[in-house]
């Protein structure tokens, strides 16, 4: 009953999409379990770049069935645009291949407006959300006033529910924030047309996954965002409104832990973050630009969803250890090793200093995380290109030493190492299972 789970071990953007793409080649089903179109996964196949926001990256492998789980929030306009885009690129995204949980929640244009206006009003306490309406949609879910995807089965009921939701949001927007709202009647009509197109995609995803696992078919759960953005366990309040951790995968798919075979934590060889919040190892100036890149390459550190430059810094092993413990990772994947080529020396944060005391574990709050100073250890760098490395033995000794140090600091094996943007530029040290 193999369930493999891919989880972002940092603040998102770790390169989960390409690890999913790799492991999807040997999976039957690939499922997303949390978040919505705030996510952005880029996968390069030859000259083609696939940028996905909602549809699991596993869709690029032609044999997979992909699922959007109950833990997700769905903007139907974005989902349809993505389906159309993928279909135009020759990728089959028919209802036979893509299944949408009836228990996911809908994002309306009013959710988007609310997201933007609420974050703006926080002034210098802004979270820097993606403005995709994620928080407000999850708020409605928790308040039990959300619209579930299941209503799309009945376009009349769906239109009425969207109208009621939009009218309620309009009152909040207008009375509380003096902000106009997109027209509820027009939106409800538009959403009805989305429902008519998306209805065939609705399927009992929990039951499909259960049956697949019982039949010993391989299921891959594809995380979005990252551990440090988890609503409960991340750097609150600078987090997203869902659970991008292992527990969130089970909750957001409706499967039990007994099926788990592996939990793969994906981390970049350095640290990045978009949006606000504490970041102990953040670099500024030339050093940050060196890690971020100019934006000319698709792999440079600019948000896939918002285009914002990502904040960059050295790898933080204290946070990585935290992610290992919290998620129960069974192994690690380290991405973007090639970006470190030519940087000497390399620094890894192995502990924090706070008022003269050294801590190897995470302080309790995000506020406290903002007050720590990283304690760095130095690793030698390397100059030779690693783009052509296919096996562990192809890596220069200094690159091996860097990975060995991550293993020593986390107590976990690094089984996958990406050394370039292409599909085959991944060193695999062990197969799953
Ligand atoms: P929201 O998810 O749009 O509410 O944004 C909340 C925080 O999570 C912000 O700091 C975003 O930049 C961050 N965030 C949300 N999705 C992603 C992602 O896919 N990658 C990286 N950061 C993200």
């Amino acid at each position: 009953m193999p369930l493999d789970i891919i989880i972002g071990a940092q603040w998102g953007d770790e390169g989960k999409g390409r690890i999913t793409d790799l492991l999807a080649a040997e999976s039957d089903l690939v499922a997303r379990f949390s978040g919505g179109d705030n996510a952005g996964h880029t996968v390069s196949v030859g000259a083609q770049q696939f940028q996905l926001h909602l549809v699991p990256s596993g869709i690029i492998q032609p044999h997979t069935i992909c699922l959007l789980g109950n833990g997700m929030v769905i903007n139907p306009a974005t989902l349809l645009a993505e389906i159309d885009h993928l279909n135009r690129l020759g990728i089959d995204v028919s209802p036979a291949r893509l299944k949408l949980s009836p228990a996911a929640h809908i994002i309306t244009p009013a959710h988007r407006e609310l997201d933007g206006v609420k974050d703006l009003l926080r002034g210098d306490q802004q979270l820097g959300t993606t403005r995709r309406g994620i928080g407000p949609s999850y708020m409605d879910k928790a308040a039990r006033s959300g619209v579930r995807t299941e209503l799309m089965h009945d376009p009349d009921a769906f239109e009425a529910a969207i109208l009621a939701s939009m009218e309620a949001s309009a009152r909040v927007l207008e009375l509380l924030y003096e902000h106009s709202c997109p027209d509820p009647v027009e939106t409800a009509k538009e959403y009805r047309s989305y429902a008519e197109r998306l209805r065939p995609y609705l399927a009992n995803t929990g039951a499909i996954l259960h049956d697949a696992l019982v039949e010993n078919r391989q299921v891959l759960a594809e995380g979005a965002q990252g551990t440090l953005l988890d609503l409960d366990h991340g750097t609150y309040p600078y987090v997203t409104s869902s659970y991008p951790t292992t527990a969130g995968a089970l909750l957001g798919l409706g499967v039990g832990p007994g099926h788990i075979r592996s939990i793969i934590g994906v981390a970049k060889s350095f640290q990045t973050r978009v949006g606000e919040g504490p970041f102990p190892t953040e670099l500024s100036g030339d050093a940050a630009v060196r890690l971020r890149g100019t934006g000319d390459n698709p792999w440079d550190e600019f948000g896939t969803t918002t285009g914002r430059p990502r904040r960059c810094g050295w790898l933080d092993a204290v946070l990585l250890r935290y992610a290992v413990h919290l998620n129960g990772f069974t192994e690690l994947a380290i991405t973007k090793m090639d970006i470190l080529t030519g940087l000497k020396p390399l620094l890894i944060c192995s502990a924090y200093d706070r008022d003269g005391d050294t801590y190897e574990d995470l302080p309790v709050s995000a506020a406290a995380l903002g007050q720590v100073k990283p304690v760095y250890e130095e690793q030698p760098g390397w100059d030779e290109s690693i783009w052509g490395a296919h096996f562990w033995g192809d890596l220069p000794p200094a690159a091996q030493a860097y990975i060995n140090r991550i293993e020593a600091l986390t107590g976990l094996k690094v089984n996958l190492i990406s050394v370039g943007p292409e599909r085959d530029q991944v060193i695999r040290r062990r197969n799953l299972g």
Side-chain angles (χ1 to χ4, degrees):
M1 290 194 256
L3 171 64
D4 301 311
I5 305 178
I6 293 180
I7 300 286
Q10 297 164 320
W11 279 293
D13 310 315
E14 297 91 350
K16 296 175 294 293
R18 57 129 9 124
I19 301 295
T20 303
D21 177 54
L22 181 85
L23 300 181
E26 53 215 59
S27 304
D28 300 299
L29 291 94
V30 182
R32 264 220 31 207
F33 56 82
S34 70
D37 60 348
N38 49 348
H41 292 162
T42 309
V43 185
S44 310
V45 185
Q48 267 187 319
Q49 288 280 323
F50 297 94
Q51 297 211 327
L52 303 163
H53 297 283
L54 280 165
V55 176
S57 311
I59 201 81
I60 295 161
Q61 298 284 350
H63 67 280
T64 55
I65 290 180
C66 291
L67 296 92
L68 302 171
N70 57 276
M72 293 186 70
V73 281
I74 305 289
N75 181 328
T78 320
L79 179 57
L80 283 166
E82 203 164 305
I83 291 172
D84 291 342
H85 178 64
L86 285 166
N87 277 327
R88 274 197 302 276
L89 291 173
I91 294 175
D92 170 20
V93 196
S94 61
R97 284 202 70 205
L98 183 70
K99 317 273 179 197
L100 171 59
S101 166
H105 275 252
I106 293 286
I107 295 179
T108 67
H111 288 142
R112 280 194 172 213
E113 292 298 321
L114 278 165
D115 195 3
V117 81
K118 285 171 85 164
D119 209 22
L120 267 182
L121 283 179
R122 288 190 183 105
D124 57 8
Q125 308 284 310
Q126 267 188 47
L127 306 180
T129 75
T130 60
R131 309 282 203 265
R132 295 296 185 275
I134 306 296
S137 176
Y138 279 119
M139 274 174 68
D140 276 351
K141 172 178 175 174
R144 291 152 298 171
S145 50
V147 180
R148 298 203 335 170
T149 38
E150 65 188 334
L151 272 185
M152 294 196 292
H153 276 308
D154 178 347
D156 285 340
F158 186 67
E159 187 177 338
I162 294 293
L163 181 63
S165 167
M166 287 290 296
E167 284 174 344
S169 299
R171 277 194 294 280
V172 175
L173 274 165
E174 282 154 17
L175 297 176
L176 217 55
Y177 300 110
E178 295 174 347
H179 190 86
S180 64
C181 181
D183 182 53
V185 175
E186 283 307 309
T187 305
K189 272 198 210 127
E190 196 180 315
Y191 269 53
R192 182 195 179 98
S193 71
Y194 299 150
E196 272 153 11
R197 279 197 64 199
L198 283 174
R199 203 161 29 152
Y201 290 90
L202 290 171
N204 188 344
T205 49
I208 293 172
L209 286 170
H210 176 262
D211 290 350
L213 289 164
V214 168
E215 287 162 15
N216 220 24
R217 294 165 73 207
Q218 294 200 26
V219 177
L220 187 62
E222 172 183 351
Q225 288 83 43
T227 300
L228 302 168
L229 291 174
D230 186 275
L231 181 59
D232 279 31
H233 299 287
T235 47
Y236 191 89
Y238 302 99
V239 293
T240 189
S241 299
S242 67
Y243 304 102
T245 40
T246 302
L250 302 177
L251 187 66
L253 293 178
V255 295
H259 299 290
I260 297 174
R261 174 173 67 173
S262 68
I263 308 169
I264 303 145
V266 185
K268 245 181 250 190
S269 62
F270 50 101
Q271 207 80 19
T272 64
R273 170 164 212 170
V274 253
E276 302 306 317
F279 184 169
T281 61
E282 183 169 14
L283 291 168
S284 56
D286 290 349
V289 173
R290 171 63 182 73
L291 288 172
R292 185 182 302 121
T294 54
D296 290 339
N297 302 306
W299 56 83
D300 288 343
E301 296 292 348
F302 291 80
T304 315
T305 301
T306 58
R308 289 180 286 178
R310 296 180 186 141
R311 299 158 66 195
C312 294
W314 295 115
L315 182 69
D316 188 330
V318 180
L319 292 178
L320 190 52
R321 257 195 310 268
Y322 172 70
V324 169
H325 299 162
L326 181 68
N327 290 293
F329 292 150
T330 56
E331 60 191 85
L332 290 174
I334 299 293
T335 59
K336 298 192 85 167
M337 270 296 277
D338 53 311
I339 301 299
L340 300 185
T341 300
L343 272 175
K344 286 175 168 172
L346 298 170
L347 301 190
I348 298 180
C349 166
S350 54
Y352 293 148
D353 176 290
R354 193 174 168 202
D355 302 327
D357 293 321
T358 305
Y359 298 89
E360 293 192 347
D361 295 314
L362 191 65
V364 280
S365 71
L369 193 61
Q371 288 154 17
V372 301
K373 289 201 177 62
V375 177
Y376 286 118
E377 49 178 59
E378 277 188 20
Q379 290 287 317
W382 62 93
D383 284 321
E384 53 274 56
S385 168
I386 57 172
W387 268 39
H390 292 296
F391 302 100
W392 174 249
D394 298 339
L395 286 176
Q400 291 184 349
Y402 191 80
I403 296 288
N404 289 341
R405 191 62 195 139
I406 294 175
E407 292 186 336
L409 286 167
T410 57
L412 275 189
K413 193 92 187 142
V414 175
N415 277 327
L416 291 163
I417 304 159
S418 90
V419 293
E422 279 306 318
R423 224 180 199 173
D424 63 351
Q425 289 180 297
V426 178
I427 296 172
R428 193 159 178 186
R429 298 168 80 191
R430 189 180 70 86
N431 286 336
L432 293 174

